[in-house]
Amino acid sequence: MKYLLLVVVVFAVLWLARSGGRVLSKRESVQRASRPPHEEVVACAQCGIHLPRSETLPGRGAVFCCEAHRSIFEQASPEGPIPK
């Protein structure tokens, strides 16, 4: 009787281990499907570093990676927006 109980426990552990792996793979596939599409990457007008558009700071006709670069660029060209 104790061997039968041992076999049942071993099969239960194996079954749970296998089904747990499938649950993780389903979760991963749902997470991958819910990721946003790739975002446009743009360059900072001052230093040229590339970063996603959502992380940039808008400036006078250009985008920048930080406030310091925006200030430097706008002080160097105070006449208005840069020509496109």
Side-chain angles (χ1 to χ4, degrees):
M1 183 68 175
K2 65 181 178 181
Y3 294 112
L4 180 61
L5 182 60
L6 180 64
V7 169
V8 169
V9 169
V10 168
F11 278 118
V13 168
L14 291 174
W15 179 76
L16 287 173
R18 288 190 68 200
S19 66
R22 280 192 231 138
V23 169
L24 287 177
S25 64
K26 288 179 183 177
R27 286 182 188 159
E28 288 174 359
S29 65
V30 168
Q31 287 174 348
R32 289 181 182 164
S34 65
R35 287 183 186 164
H38 293 289
E39 190 174 350
E40 179 185 11
V41 177
V42 294
C44 172
Q46 180 65 26
C47 67
I49 191 170
H50 290 84
L51 60 160
R53 183 170 288 282
S54 65
E55 296 179 19
T56 61
L57 296 172
R60 211 177 302 137
V63 293
F64 303 92
C65 64
C66 62
E67 182 64 40
H69 285 179
R70 180 168 61 181
S71 297
I72 292 169
F73 184 85
E74 289 179 353
Q75 288 173 359
S77 57
E79 64 274 352
I82 57 174
K84 291 185 180 182

